[in-house]
């Protein structure tokens, strides 16, 4: 039996279809608190052949550090205006770029800070690697992914099977907290989390938990609340020094690995993510997915998630629907079109300024566009 097991493991690692070393992964925002540990984890991934890292500053040092690690993954660093070169030919683009959430910061304020990042990266992807799988870590995911989708539509580069908001951290936290509660290894807990990636839009589906979660409703409510507020728990614990970085890097690396496994044509690769959803009232929603070389092979939808047992009001799902339309509304207000974003100018920082001006005016706050392109709108590094 040992010989058979050893033979199976050798076949898995030797078979070129199960362990190709030719995928190029680009990390945008690689010198920050999430970007560095994420790049470290990807440098160890046997499915990565080339790791291209980008940030506005300090990226050469990160590349030098990574290059000393004894794996065969080739690392290349790109700064500032070299984003297009970084992305050229990429199979997967993962974006941990943007401003981190700070104590007291609202999701609206976070969106104002990070919308420009999503626009610039989406524009660069449309020009340099339109067939790549594009996965955002940048928060707030509920609004960032729709605004990226609108820009990609304006460039005729939108494929809903290839755009993702990474919500894996919610799944990782759910497995951890439930595993602790049941005194089980968290790796043996499978609990799908659907909805969105902010507060009450995060919906763990306990009826689909494996192993079966047979506890009191109060326990489910308490665990649901902790899963929903876990990000705030870390922000408070760090006392203003940052948000969840290590756990987010782990979750993003896990999701990217799943994308690569799908690209490598491994069967039955499943993850939850915030993606385009074919529903008039929920154009974007986090659901369980089957991944393949196409990106999303099949969206398992809400039916695969069963009925809610967490005592979570239906209004939470509606809130997720409201938040994901924020980016879409902003594009439509500034660039009206027929069912799409209209024509977006090439100067992405200017676009970001216009969109944010529209957003702030909507909230009754005067906004003065930045005087140069090296504004927070274009800065990637988490501090």
């Amino acid at each position: 039996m040992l010989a058979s097991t050893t033979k199976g493991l050798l076949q898995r690692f030797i078979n070129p279809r199960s362990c190709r070393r030719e995928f190029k992964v680009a990390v945008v925002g690689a010198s920050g608190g999430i970007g560095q540990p994420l790049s470290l984890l990807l440098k160890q991934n046997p499915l990565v052949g080339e790791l291209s890292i980008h940030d506005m500053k300090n990226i050469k040092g990160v590349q030098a550090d990574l290059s000393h690690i004894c794996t065969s993954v080739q690392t290349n660093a790109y700064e500032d205006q070299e984003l297009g070169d970084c992305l050229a030919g990429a199979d997967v683009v993962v974006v941990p770029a943007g401003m981190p959430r700070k104590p007291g910061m609202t999701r609206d304020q976070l969106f104002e800070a990070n919308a420009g990042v999503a626009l610039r990266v989406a524009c660069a992807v449309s020009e340099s690697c339109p067939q790549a799988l594009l996965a955002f870590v940048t928060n707030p995911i509920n609004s960032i992914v729709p605004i990226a989708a609108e820009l990609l539509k304006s460039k005729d580069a939108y494929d809903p099977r290839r755009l993702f908001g990474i919500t894996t951290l919610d799944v990782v936290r759910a497995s951890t907290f439930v595993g602790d509660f049941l005194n089980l290894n968290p790796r043996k807990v499978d609990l799908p989390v659907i909805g969105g990636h902010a507060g009450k839009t995060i919906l763990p589906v306990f009826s689909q938990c494996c192993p079966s979660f047979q506890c009191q409703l109060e326990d489910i409510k308490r665990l649901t609340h902790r899963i929903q507020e876990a990000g705030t728990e870390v922000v408070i614990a760090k006392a203003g020094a940052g948000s969840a970085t290590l756990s987010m890097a782990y979750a993003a690396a896990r999701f990217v690995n799943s994308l690569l496994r799908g690209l490598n044509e491994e069967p039955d690769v499943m993850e939850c993510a915030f993606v385009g959803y074919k529903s008039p009232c929920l154009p974007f929603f986090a659901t369980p997915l089957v991944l393949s070389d196409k990106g999303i092979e099949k969206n398992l939808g809400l039916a695969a998630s069963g009925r809610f047992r967490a005592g979570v009001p239906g209004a939470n799902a509606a809130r997720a629907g409201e938040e994901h339309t924020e980016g879409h509304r902003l594009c439509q207000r500034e660039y009206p079109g027929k069912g799409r974003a209209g024509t977006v100018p090439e100067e992405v920082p200017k676009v970001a300024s216009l969109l944010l001006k529209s957003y702030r005016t909507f909230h009754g706050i005067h906004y003065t566009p930045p005087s140069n392109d090296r504004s927070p709108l274009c800065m990637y590094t988490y501090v």
Side-chain angles (χ1 to χ4, degrees):
M1 181 174 179
L2 178 60
S4 176
T5 302
T6 303
K7 182 180 179 181
L9 289 172
L10 287 173
Q11 288 177 340
R12 177 180 178 184
F13 285 105
I14 294 174
N15 185 344
R17 282 178 62 84
S18 65
C19 192
R20 288 166 54 186
R21 298 299 298 271
E22 57 185 358
F23 293 119
K24 176 178 177 178
V25 177
V27 180
V28 182
S31 72
I34 295 174
Q36 289 198 44
L38 172 59
S39 299
L40 171 63
L41 292 168
L42 294 176
K43 182 71 165 66
Q44 303 171 72
N45 191 312
L47 292 175
V48 178
E50 179 181 351
L51 181 62
S52 290
I53 58 177
H54 180 277
D55 216 314
M56 300 299 291
K57 58 184 180 180
N58 303 329
I59 196 63
K60 298 296 185 183
V62 176
Q63 189 273 335
D65 203 356
L66 289 171
S67 70
H68 294 177
I69 297 171
C70 56
T71 70
S72 60
V73 179
Q74 177 185 350
T75 57
N76 299 297
Y78 301 85
E79 291 183 332
D80 204 0
Q81 301 304 315
E82 299 174 318
L83 180 58
D85 295 333
C86 174
L87 300 182
D91 298 292
V92 176
V93 179
V94 57
V95 190
M99 180 182 292
R101 185 181 171 200
K102 297 180 180 179
M105 180 179 282
T106 67
R107 294 283 170 177
D108 288 349
Q109 291 169 333
L110 193 59
F111 178 64
E112 292 173 14
N114 289 340
V117 173
L119 288 168
R120 184 180 181 189
V121 175
C123 183
V125 166
S126 73
E127 296 171 352
S128 299
C129 54
Q131 296 304 309
L133 305 182
L134 175 56
F136 280 96
V137 176
T138 310
N139 273 318
I141 288 291
N142 292 7
S143 301
I144 290 296
V145 173
I147 200 173
E150 290 302 312
L151 191 140
L152 290 170
K153 289 176 186 178
S154 76
K155 300 288 187 180
D156 292 321
Y158 178 59
D159 182 346
R161 299 173 302 175
R162 295 178 177 271
L163 177 63
F164 306 86
I166 299 179
T167 60
T168 313
L169 182 54
D170 298 324
V171 178
V172 168
R173 286 166 168 164
S175 296
T176 300
F177 300 160
V178 171
D180 290 346
F181 183 85
L182 297 177
N183 196 28
L184 293 173
N185 183 343
R187 289 181 177 272
K188 296 183 179 180
V189 177
D190 183 10
L191 174 59
V193 181
I194 66 171
H197 187 56
K200 292 186 180 299
T201 69
I202 300 169
L203 306 173
V205 188
F206 284 87
S207 61
Q208 296 296 303
C209 183
C210 183
S212 179
F213 191 83
Q214 301 293 334
C215 293
Q216 299 297 317
L217 181 60
E218 289 303 314
D219 296 325
I220 293 176
K221 288 182 177 180
R222 186 165 52 254
L223 284 166
T224 297
H225 179 76
R226 190 181 178 199
I227 294 166
Q228 291 174 339
E229 298 300 323
T232 301
E233 180 180 318
V234 175
V235 170
I236 293 173
K238 290 191 174 183
S243 56
T245 52
L246 299 178
S247 56
M248 185 65 247
Y250 169 84
R254 165 177 151 170
F255 185 77
V256 170
N257 183 60
S258 293
L259 292 180
L260 294 173
R261 289 167 58 205
L263 287 174
N264 204 35
E265 300 180 20
E266 182 178 328
D268 303 323
V269 180
M270 292 182 61
E271 289 285 356
C272 293
F274 189 73
V275 298
Y277 188 67
K278 294 183 179 180
S279 169
C281 60
L282 291 172
F284 290 87
F285 208 72
T287 56
L289 311 169
V290 177
L291 302 172
S292 72
D293 58 343
K294 303 181 184 67
I296 299 174
E297 178 68 28
K298 185 177 182 181
N299 189 325
L300 299 179
L302 299 180
S305 303
R307 62 188 181 88
F308 298 123
R309 288 190 56 209
V312 179
N316 291 359
R319 175 58 181 164
E322 292 170 6
E323 289 192 6
H324 74 63
T325 60
E326 188 171 36
H328 175 77
R329 287 200 307 268
L330 294 182
C331 282
Q332 290 289 354
R333 281 171 58 85
E334 199 64 47
Y335 306 107
K338 296 181 178 180
R340 50 185 297 172
T343 301
V344 180
E346 296 292 332
E347 301 79 16
V348 174
K350 181 180 178 181
V351 175
S353 297
L354 289 170
L355 292 176
L356 296 180
K357 178 181 178 181
S358 173
Y359 178 78
R360 293 182 183 235
T361 299
F362 179 76
H363 284 271
I365 303 173
H366 177 68
Y367 175 66
T368 302
S371 58
N372 60 75
D373 288 351
R374 296 184 63 85
S375 68
L377 295 177
C378 302
M379 293 298 289
Y380 293 162
T381 304
Y382 277 93
V383 293

